[in-house]
Amino acid sequence: MPTKSDCFHALETLDLSYNSIQYLTPEFMKEVDDVHKLNGKLKNVFMHENPFECDCGLQGTWQWLKDTKAPVNKEQLLCASSYQSMYNGKRVIDLELGDLVCQKAVVQSNIQSSVEVEVVLVVTIMLLVLVMSIIAFAFVHRDKLGLVARRWQNKNPGREVLVPYTILLPSEKGKDITI
């Protein structure tokens, strides 16, 4: 709204319908009240067909609609969306102040919880892949790992190391086997 009060001395109709107004600012509401009081000619303030967000951000607008003497088409202002979907399509003026709530903290908490679950899931999958990779490595290199274990056992007598063995066939009896 222009800042000069004499700009609207002959204003009879202020039509703000079919815009993208979700909330009214305190400054705008004060200007409309001032214009109505000062010029006495303001007969209509149209704001229908705007997508009003009926949540905690509309509390100031709701209170102004209840209190203002300006000729606003209050009965035609509808909720386009709200935290509680049951208010969508309802007249703003028919709601109670307690109906205009925001649940952003709960939504944020749910988002944070889902991110935490995703992080835990990714870390778990990474650990599972790591363990499977170690097992696959050990299986592929089992002969070399057996050799390393035998060398370690030779350097540390008295400590037992389980080494894989094979069953001797009857034809191999009596042959020397070196480990």
Side-chain angles (χ1 to χ4, degrees):
M1 301 273 284
T3 55
K4 292 183 178 180
S5 59
D6 62 342
C7 289
F8 297 110
H9 69 278
L11 182 66
E12 292 181 9
T13 299
L14 177 61
D15 191 350
L16 299 172
S17 51
Y18 297 96
N19 282 287
S20 296
I21 299 171
Q22 297 175 334
Y23 308 103
L24 300 177
T25 65
E27 296 82 15
F28 173 81
M29 294 181 282
K30 182 182 179 322
E31 289 290 331
V32 170
D33 283 340
D34 289 347
V35 168
H36 175 66
K37 288 175 192 171
L38 294 176
N39 79 6
K41 295 179 182 178
L42 187 61
K43 295 178 182 165
N44 298 302
V45 178
F46 296 123
M47 291 190 289
H48 56 281
E49 297 300 325
N50 280 299
F52 287 102
E53 294 280 335
C54 293
D55 59 16
C56 62
L58 196 70
Q59 290 176 352
T61 302
W62 178 87
Q63 191 63 55
W64 178 74
L65 290 171
K66 293 281 188 181
D67 297 340
T68 189
K69 302 295 184 224
V72 179
N73 62 334
K74 303 172 187 181
E75 293 75 26
Q76 295 177 358
L77 306 183
L78 305 176
C79 296
S81 63
S82 66
Y83 174 72
Q84 299 177 12
S85 61
M86 66 184 176
Y87 299 132
N88 294 351
K90 300 271 183 177
R91 295 186 325 174
V92 172
I93 203 73
D94 290 340
L95 299 177
E96 297 296 325
L97 186 60
D99 297 333
L100 302 172
V101 296
C102 286
Q103 296 294 331
K104 292 179 184 174
V106 172
V107 171
Q108 181 65 30
S109 174
N110 289 343
I111 290 171
Q112 186 176 0
S113 295
S114 68
V115 168
E116 290 172 357
V117 168
E118 289 176 12
V119 167
V120 168
L121 183 63
V122 168
V123 169
T124 302
I125 290 172
M126 289 173 60
L127 287 173
L128 184 62
V129 167
L130 178 65
V131 168
M132 294 300 289
S133 297
I134 291 171
I135 290 171
F137 178 83
F139 180 76
V140 169
H141 299 287
R142 63 186 176 273
D143 296 335
K144 290 180 184 177
L145 291 173
L147 180 62
V148 169
R150 280 192 242 50
R151 285 183 184 164
W152 182 81
Q153 185 179 21
N154 289 340
K155 289 182 182 179
N156 297 299
R159 294 190 178 200
E160 291 187 29
V161 175
L162 298 176
V163 179
Y165 65 92
T166 57
I167 299 175
L168 298 177
L169 298 174
S171 62
E172 295 176 328
K173 283 189 179 179
K175 295 184 182 177
D176 289 338
I177 299 174
T178 309
I179 298 181

